[in-house]
Amino acid sequence: MSEDAPPFQTQDHDSLTIPLLSHQQRSINSTSQVAIVGANVCPIESLDYEYWMAFLVFSLSNLALTLFAAIITAFISPAAAGSGIPEVKAYLNGVDAPGILSIRTLIVKIVGSIAAVSSSLLVGKAGPMVHTGSCIAALFGQGGSRRYGLTWKWLRFFKNDRDRRDLVTCGSAAGIAAAFRAPVGGVLWRSSLLWRAFFTTAVVAIVLRALIDVCLSGKCGLFGKGGLIMFDVYSANVSYHLADVPPVLALGVIGGILGSFYNFLLVKVLKVYNLINEKGIFYKIFIACTISIFTSCLLFGLPWLVSCQSCPSDASEDCPTIGRSGNYKKFQCPSGHYNDLASLIFNTNDDAIRNLFSKNTDTEFQLSTMLIFFVTCFILSIFSYGIVAPAGLFVPVIVTGASYGRFIGMLIGSWGNLSHGLYAVLGAASFLGGSMRMTVSLCVIILELTNNLLLLPLIMVVLLVSKTVADAFNGNVYDLIMKVKGFPYLETHAEPYMRQLTVADVVSGPLQLCHGIEKVGNIVHILKTTMHHGFPVIDESPHSESPVLYGLILRAHLIALLKKKAFLCTPVQLGADAFRHFSSDDFAKKGLGNVDKIEDIELTDEEMDMFLDLHPFTNASPYTVVETMSLAKALILFREVGLRHLLVIPKISSILFSLLLTNHIIQMPDAVTAESTSGGHIDKA
Amino acid sequence: MSEDAPPFQTQDHDSLTIPLLSHQQRSINSTSQVAIVGANVCPIESLDYEYWMAFLVFSLSNLALTLFAAIITAFISPAAAGSGIPEVKAYLNGVDAPGILSIRTLIVKIVGSIAAVSSSLLVGKAGPMVHTGSCIAALFGQGGSRRYGLTWKWLRFFKNDRDRRDLVTCGSAAGIAAAFRAPVGGVLWRSSLLWRAFFTTAVVAIVLRALIDVCLSGKCGLFGKGGLIMFDVYSANVSYHLADVPPVLALGVIGGILGSFYNFLLVKVLKVYNLINEKGIFYKIFIACTISIFTSCLLFGLPWLVSCQSCPSDASEDCPTIGRSGNYKKFQCPSGHYNDLASLIFNTNDDAIRNLFSKNTDTEFQLSTMLIFFVTCFILSIFSYGIVAPAGLFVPVIVTGASYGRFIGMLIGSWGNLSHGLYAVLGAASFLGGSMRMTVSLCVIILELTNNLLLLPLIMVVLLVSKTVADAFNGNVYDLIMKVKGFPYLETHAEPYMRQLTVADVVSGPLQLCHGIEKVGNIVHILKTTMHHGFPVIDESPHSESPVLYGLILRAHLIALLKKKAFLCTPVQLGADAFRHFSSDDFAKKGLGNVDKIEDIELTDEEMDMFLDLHPFTNASPYTVVETMSLAKALILFREVGLRHLLVIPKISSILFSLLLTNHIIQMPDAVTAESTSGGHIDKA
C-alpha cells in the first residue's frame, strides 16, 4: 500500500497470438521503492534486528512524505486538503470560496497528492485529479493567474460566471476520465453539458492512448506498461444464473448499510478533526503525523498475525518474492511459503484491487486475512481522509468494498457459482453505491475499469439495491462533507416541507432598494450595510409617473461604477453614451476569490453628493415570482434556470401597496448564504 | 436480409476452456425461412426455371408480408407507421397528438414491425421497440385503455402530465435497452431522469439476462442461442497507433457528410411520399407494395452482378452453403465457390452487421461487392422509411455505415494497420453520428454492442468529427422528420435571432381574459372563439380595489367546471366548500388524445346567465416575465422549467396602463402551435 504509480499490464502484439485467459488472469505487479524496504530486501530470516530496521525505514519514510504533504498543504494552500470533489461540487453549485481553484491550490494538490499517496496512507488519487482538472480549467477560464504574472490574453474569453462554470465542469470530467481512464464515466459524473464534456473526455482518452503508445517502447520506467483498461481481469465470459441473484442482493443490502455507516463515521471523525484543527496549524500537522505512524504500525504489524501459506505448485510467477513486484510476498514466512496479507499490503492499491478482482485467485487468500484487510481498510480510510493533505476517497472505498465483497464471497464459498473475484467486483460496486450514490456514472466507471459488459446486469442490481438501502440512512458522502465544511448547497429536489411554505416566508431582509438615478452616498451606504449581491432598481417620479420596478443590479457592477467615478452632478438620465467611460473589461468577472470590496474605494464628500444613472447597467428583465408562490415551485425555477437572484413581487393589488412592498430579494434557505464569498452560480444538476 | 430474429451466439461453459480468439472470431449465423427459399434449397445448378421460381416465392412472400403490415397500419393505426422515435420525442416535448401512444398503435406497432422486418425491407426494429416501450408506459400511466374496457384501478396513479411524461421517458429508455441490449445506452438517450431510467433499464437488463439463461437450455428455437452482447467480435486486444488516426478522421468527415446527405434525401423522399399519401389510403398501400417489389428485385438481382469467390481452404464452416445459416452462400456459384454479396443479403441484418464487423474476414469480401452493398443499403433505407408500416432507422443506418466503413477500409488496404472489421465499426459509428447526432448515448450503445472499451478513443473521435461536420449542413434525422410530420418542436438552444426579439414580439393574440367570478356565457364564448389552453384570471372591483392578476386557469379545467354545471346564481365568492361537487378524478388528465370538447357540452340559456367562481381552480402563482425580456431568455425559462404557458406582463409603469394591458398569454413561436391537440408538456432535454 505504497506509491500509487499506475500499474500497467503488458499489452503487446504477441498477446493476440496466445490464449487470452492465461494471459490476463494474473497481471504483473510493481511495488514501489518504499515497499522494497518494508518487504525486507536482504533475505536473512528471523533476524529481529532486520525487521525492526525495516519497520523504522518504512515508517520514517512514510512519516517524511506525510509531513511534506501536510506542511505544504497547511502553509501554502489549505484548500487543497481532502478530496476536492466536494469543493468542485460546491463551486458548480454557486459557492465561489476563495482559493478553491487557484494556482497555489493546483500546485499543492498535484505535489501533495503524489506525496500523500506515496506515504502508504490509504488515500486515493481520483478526487485530487478531479480537483486538478477543475483548477486547470478555472485558470484557463480567467486567463491565467494575475497574481503570479502568468496571464494569457488570448485565453480570457470567459468573462462570466456561466462560461467559467461550464469550463470547470468539463475540467472535472477530464479529471475523472484521466483518473479511471473512463472517458464516458467522466462525461456522466455531471449530467449537464453532455456534448462539451464528451468532447473534453474524448481528448483525454486520445491523449491517454497516445501516451500509452509512446510508453510501450519502454522509455517511461514504471509507467511503461499498461493499457486503457485498469482492471482488465474479466475478459473471459462470465456465467451466472438465477440462483446467484440472492447472494448478489445480499451483497447490495450489506454494502448499502456499510456505505451509509462509512459516511456516518467519516463525518463524525471529520467533525472531531475540525475541532482539533481550529487550535492551530501545528495541531493539523500533528494529526497528519499521528495518522501516518498509526498507519505504518498497522500495515507492518498486521501481517504477523496471519499464518503463512504454502506456495501453490502451479504458480505462474515466483513464490515467495521479496522484490518490488510479485503477488506472493515472503515477509516473515519460511521459504516455500508466502504471507497473503503482506501480499495485499505491500503492493500498490491498484495492484491490490487487481488481485482482489482476479478470478483465479480463489485459493490465494485466507478468510481471516480478508477480514483483517477489510477492517483495516475501513478504519484507515476513515481516519486518513480528514488530515491536512490531498486525499481522495474513491480508491480507498474501492479497496474496502473489494475486500468486503471477497470476504462475503469466501463465506458463501461453494454454495454459489460466482468466483471470489466477481464477488470482490460486486462488493466494490455495492460499497461505492452505498457511499457515493452516483448510480449511472459509477456503473459506467466500473464497466470502464473492468471491461466486461456481461457483468452489467449484476452491477446494476447491486448499485440500485445499495443506493436505495443507503438512502434510507443518510446522504451521499460528498454532500455530507460539504455540509461539514459549511458550504451551502441547494438540493436538487424540493423537500416536502417546502410545499407548505411560500417564497414570502423565506425572503431575506432588510430590503434595500436603489433608485434609477441614485445618490452615490446612498449606494455606498447600501453596499456597506448589507452583504446582498443584487439589488432591485426602482423608478420613481419625476422619471416615471409612479414607482416602477426597473430591474436588478449586481453588487459587482455597482462597485465597478463607483470605482470609475464617472458621476453626474445632477440627477439626469444618460443617453447612449453611458458606456463611454467603460470597457467590457470593467464589468468582466474577476478571477476566483478576487473581488473588489466596497471598503477599498475611497470617495470624497463631494463625490458622495453626486449621482449615478443606474439604468444602463441594470438587468431590465429579471426573473420575478409572486409572493404567494410555493417555495418548492420557486426552488425548481432557481435550480433549473441556474439563478442567483429571484425577485419576489406582491400581487399587484393596489398602487399604494405596490409602492411600499414592491420587491424583496429572495435568498433560498441554504442557497446563497454564501453571500460573504464572491459571486457564484447555481448549477442545474 | 430477412427475418430479424436476434442472432445468438453460443455462450456455454466450455467457452472458458478454449482460447477465446478462435472461439469468437466467427459467430454462428442463422437465416430465416424466407432466406432459405431465396438461397435455393434445391442444389440443381444453372437451371433458370429454378431461379425464377425462387425469385417468385421470395418476392411474393415479401410482398404478402409488406401488404399485411401496410394494411393493418393504414386501416387500424396510421400513427404506428415509421420509426416512432420522432413521435415519442414530440410527445416528450409537449405534443400530445391523438393516437401516438394508444393501445391500437401498440398492437399494430408490434405485429406490423415483425411483418415489415420479416419482409426483407431494409427497416429496423429499434425505433418500433422504443415506441412500443413508450406505449406500454403510457398505457400503464393512464391505467389501461378505457375504450377497450381494459382498465386497472391500481395503476391510475399518474393523473398529471409530468408524471406521465416521466413514465414514458422510462418506457422509451427500456425500449432502447431491449433493442440493443444496451441498458446504459438506454438511460442516456434522454439525459433527464437518470436515476429512474437507470432503474427501468436495470430491470430490462435483468429480464433479458434471465430470458437468455432460460433459452440456453435450447427450448426457444432461433432465440435459443446468444449472449448479452450483440456484436461480440472484438474481445481480443485491438492495437492502433498514431498513424491510424488520419484515416479514422477521414472516416469521420466522410461519415458526417454522408450522414447529413442521408438526412437530406430522407426528408425529400418523405415529402414526396406525403404528397402521394394525401391522395388516399390505397395510394399509401400502393407505395408500400412498390417498394417491396423493388427491394425484392434488387436483393435477388444484384448478387448476379458479382463474380464468384473460391472458398477459403481454412474456412471454419461449410463453404458454400445453401441452408438457413452460414457465411458462404452458394447462390448461383459453382461448387467450391461462394457469392459474397448473397452472403450479406440472404442473412439477417444482425448477421450481416456481425460479418462486416468481424476482424478475420478481410479476404472474404470483394471491393465491388462492398460498394454495391453500400449503395443498395443507402438507397433502400431511404425509400423504405416512409412507407405506411413500422420501420426503424437504426439498423439500416448501422448496416449502411458498416458497409461504407468497410469499403473505405478496403480502399486504404495495407496502408493502414487496422482490420477491415474495425473500419466497419468506425464507419457505422460515423454514419450514426452524422445522421442521428446523439454522441454520448450512441457512443455507449456502440460500446455495449461491441463490448470492447479499447475502441473507445477511436469511436469518440469518429463521433465527434462526424457530428461536427454534419451539424454544418442540417439537423438530426429525428428532428427533421418531426418537422416534416408537422410536430412543433422547441429547440434546446436559443437561435441567434431570438436575442433580437422580446417576448412582446411573439405573444399570441387576441388576448382573452377571465374574471375571477365569470359569467358562464362568457366562458363558453372564450373557449369557443380561441384555441388557447390557458387563460389569465383577473380580479376587478368589487372583489378587489383595482384590477389584479389573480392567476392562470387551464382550458381543461374550465371545461371540467362547465361539465359539472355547479353554477352560481349570483356572483359571490365561494368558500372552502368549493370542491364539494368535485372529486380529484374530474380534474385528472384524461387518456392520451381523449379530450372533452367545448362543443360537446350543452348548456341552456338559463345556465349561460349564471356564474362560476374560478378562484379555487386557478393556479395563483403562474410564471410571469416582463414584456421587455429577450426571447432567448424566456426560451431558457420555457425549456428548463418545462412550461406550457408563460404570462407576459408589462412594466408596472402606471395603474391605468396596467389595467388595460395586464396580461397576454405567450406562445413560443414553434412551441405550442399544437393548440389543436390536447395538453402536453415541454421536456427539459
Side-chain angles (χ1 to χ4, degrees), chain B residues 4 80-87 109 112-114 116-117 121-131 179-180 262 266 349 377 380-387 389-400 432 435-436 477-478 481:
Chain B
D4 223 341
S83 153
I85 290 183
E87 282 83 355
K109 199 92 195 184
S113 173
I114 293 171
V117 170
L121 289 174
L122 187 54
V123 295
K125 58 194 184 329
M129 277 174 117
V130 171
H131 197 168
F180 297 108
Y262 178 87
L266 191 77
N349 283 331
C377 289
L380 281 185
S381 63
I382 287 173
F383 283 98
S384 306
Y385 179 76
I387 65 167
L393 273 174
F394 257 105
V395 171
V397 166
I398 293 177
V399 174
T400 312
L432 280 170
S435 175
M436 317 215 162
V477 68
Y478 295 121
I481 294 173

Side-chain angles (χ1 to χ4, degrees), chain B residues 234-382:
Chain B
Y234 275 94
S235 291
N237 281 334
V238 182
S239 81
Y240 48 90
H241 304 284
L242 211 60
D244 301 322
V245 172
V248 169
L249 288 179
L251 214 58
V253 172
I254 305 174
I257 295 171
L258 275 180
S260 57
F261 186 56
Y262 178 87
N263 292 0
F264 172 80
L265 289 182
L266 191 77
V267 168
K268 292 283 170 220
V269 170
L270 265 188
K271 281 181 180 163
V272 173
Y273 279 4
N274 275 357
L275 287 180
I276 302 173
N277 286 344
E278 273 168 16
K279 294 188 179 167
I281 212 156
F282 291 104
Y283 284 86
K284 290 185 185 182
I285 294 171
F286 175 73
I287 293 182
C289 293
T290 312
I291 296 298
S292 171
I293 294 168
F294 176 62
T295 304
S296 297
C297 292
L298 268 188
L299 296 188
F300 205 87
L302 286 173
W304 296 91
L305 295 181
V306 303
S307 58
C308 293
Q309 300 276 96
S310 60
C311 285
S313 53
D314 58 344
S316 58
E317 51 181 298
D318 283 350
C319 175
T321 57
I322 39 175
R324 67 196 319 190
S325 65
N327 285 314
Y328 302 102
K329 288 281 190 297
K330 190 164 176 291
F331 206 64
Q332 94 290 14
C333 293
S335 64
H337 289 70
Y338 68 97
N339 185 317
D340 54 350
L341 186 53
S343 303
L344 287 172
I345 286 177
F346 296 115
N347 244 334
T348 62
N349 283 331
D350 289 355
D351 276 340
I353 294 171
R354 190 173 298 115
N355 279 343
L356 291 172
F357 281 5
S358 289
K359 68 188 304 182
N360 282 33
T361 51
D362 280 11
T363 55
E364 196 175 301
F365 301 104
Q366 304 170 73
L367 193 62
S368 57
T369 303
M370 231 55 247
L371 186 61
I372 294 174
F373 190 63
F374 163 60
V375 174
T376 312
C377 289
F378 194 87
I379 294 172
L380 281 185
S381 63
I382 287 173

Side-chain angles (χ1 to χ4, degrees), chain B residues 397-415:
Chain B
V397 166
I398 293 177
V399 174
T400 312
S403 53
Y404 141 73
R406 191 145 183 144
F407 175 69
I408 299 282
M410 292 169 87
L411 276 185
I412 293 173
S414 55
W415 293 339

Side-chain angles (χ1 to χ4, degrees), chain B residues 50-276:
Chain B
E50 285 284 337
Y51 287 106
W52 279 111
M53 275 306 293
F55 172 68
L56 215 64
V57 175
F58 178 66
S59 54
L60 283 182
S61 51
N62 285 344
L63 186 62
L65 284 165
T66 309
L67 201 62
F68 172 69
I71 286 174
I72 59 168
T73 310
F75 284 98
I76 302 178
S77 172
S83 153
I85 290 183
E87 282 83 355
V88 172
K89 247 182 131 170
Y91 172 78
L92 294 178
N93 278 283
V95 184
D96 196 357
I100 280 188
L101 298 175
S102 71
I103 200 163
R104 287 151 69 113
T105 307
L106 173 66
I107 293 165
V108 170
K109 199 92 195 184
I110 296 173
V111 178
S113 173
I114 293 171
V117 170
S118 308
S119 73
S120 295
L121 289 174
L122 187 54
V123 295
K125 58 194 184 329
M129 277 174 117
V130 171
H131 197 168
T132 304
S134 308
C135 283
I136 295 173
L139 288 173
F140 274 0
Q142 66 193 56
S145 169
R146 212 177 302 175
R147 185 158 169 187
Y148 299 101
L150 299 165
T151 52
W152 300 276
K153 273 269 161 76
W154 48 274
L155 270 179
R156 310 199 60 191
F157 298 124
F158 304 91
K159 299 281 186 192
N160 63 62
D161 274 352
R162 192 172 284 269
D163 288 349
R164 282 214 194 133
R165 182 193 63 193
D166 290 354
L167 203 67
V168 170
T169 304
C170 291
S172 64
I176 292 260
F180 297 108
R181 301 179 213 161
V184 181
V187 176
L188 295 179
W189 98 281
R190 305 292 295 179
S191 63
S192 54
L193 303 179
L194 277 184
W195 159 245
R196 277 172 283 181
F198 185 78
F199 180 85
T200 316
T201 62
V203 173
V204 171
I206 295 153
V207 171
L208 264 177
R209 187 59 187 73
L211 287 179
I212 288 172
D213 218 35
V214 169
C215 280
L216 271 181
S217 54
K219 290 177 197 143
C220 313
L222 268 178
F223 297 90
K225 300 171 282 175
L228 211 54
I229 319 293
M230 286 178 79
F231 307 126
D232 192 2
V233 289
Y234 275 94
S235 291
N237 281 334
V238 182
S239 81
Y240 48 90
H241 304 284
L242 211 60
D244 301 322
V245 172
V248 169
L249 288 179
L251 214 58
V253 172
I254 305 174
I257 295 171
L258 275 180
S260 57
F261 186 56
Y262 178 87
N263 292 0
F264 172 80
L265 289 182
L266 191 77
V267 168
K268 292 283 170 220
V269 170
L270 265 188
K271 281 181 180 163
V272 173
Y273 279 4
N274 275 357
L275 287 180
I276 302 173

Side-chain angles (χ1 to χ4, degrees), chain A residues 10-13 15-21 23-24 181-184 187-188 191 194-196 198-203 205-206 209-210 213 216 227-229 232 235-242 245 359 439-440 443-444 447-461 463-464 467-468 471 493 544-551 619-626 628-630 633-634 636-637 640-641 649 651-655 658 662 684-685, chain B residues 10-13 15-21 23-24 162 181-184 187-188 191 194-196 198-199 201-203 205-206 209-210 213 216 227-229 232 235-242 245 359 439-440 443-444 447-461 463-464 467-468 471 493 544-551 619-626 628-630 633-634 636-637 640-641 649 651-655 658 662 684-685:
Chain A
T10 44
Q11 192 191 31
D12 45 13
H13 296 86
S15 63
L16 296 181
T17 58
I18 58 170
L20 268 180
L21 277 174
H23 178 65
Q24 290 191 325
R181 301 178 211 163
V184 181
V187 176
L188 295 179
S191 64
L194 275 184
W195 159 245
R196 278 172 283 181
F198 185 77
F199 181 84
T200 316
T201 62
V203 174
I206 295 153
R209 188 57 187 71
D213 216 34
L216 270 181
L228 212 53
I229 317 295
D232 192 3
S235 292
N237 280 335
V238 181
S239 80
Y240 48 89
H241 303 286
L242 210 61
V245 172
K359 70 189 302 183
T439 42
V440 186
C443 182
V444 174
L447 283 182
E448 294 192 282
L449 285 176
T450 56
N451 190 24
N452 198 328
L453 281 160
L454 295 174
L455 298 180
L456 190 54
L458 291 184
I459 291 174
M460 286 178 114
V461 172
L463 282 175
L464 280 175
K467 179 188 151 71
T468 311
D471 272 347
H493 299 290
S544 113
E545 291 165 45
S546 70
V548 173
L549 167 67
Y550 183 74
N619 170 6
S621 55
Y623 289 102
T624 56
V625 297
V626 291
T628 52
M629 183 179 276
S630 95
K633 195 168 170 183
I636 291 168
L637 178 66
E640 297 293 340
V641 185
I649 54 175
K651 295 254 164 193
I652 314 131
S653 53
S654 81
I655 355 148
S658 78
T662 312
K684 44 162 186 145
Chain B
T10 45
Q11 191 191 31
D12 45 14
H13 297 84
S15 62
L16 297 181
T17 59
I18 58 167
L20 269 178
L21 278 175
H23 178 64
Q24 290 191 326
R162 192 172 284 269
R181 301 179 213 161
V184 181
V187 176
L188 295 179
S191 63
L194 277 184
W195 159 245
R196 277 172 283 181
F198 185 78
F199 180 85
T201 62
V203 173
I206 295 153
R209 187 59 187 73
D213 218 35
L216 271 181
L228 211 54
I229 319 293
D232 192 2
S235 291
N237 281 334
V238 182
S239 81
Y240 48 90
H241 304 284
L242 211 60
V245 172
K359 68 188 304 182
T439 43
V440 187
C443 184
V444 173
L447 282 183
E448 294 191 283
L449 285 176
T450 57
N451 189 25
N452 197 327
L453 282 160
L454 295 174
L455 297 180
L456 189 55
L458 291 183
I459 291 174
M460 286 178 113
V461 173
L463 282 175
L464 280 176
K467 178 188 152 72
T468 311
D471 273 346
H493 299 289
S544 113
E545 291 164 43
S546 71
V548 172
L549 168 67
Y550 183 75
N619 170 7
S621 55
Y623 289 101
T624 56
V625 295
V626 291
T628 53
M629 184 178 276
S630 95
K633 196 168 169 181
I636 291 168
L637 178 67
E640 298 294 337
V641 185
I649 55 174
K651 295 255 164 192
I652 315 132
S653 53
S654 79
I655 355 148
S658 80
T662 312
K684 44 161 185 145

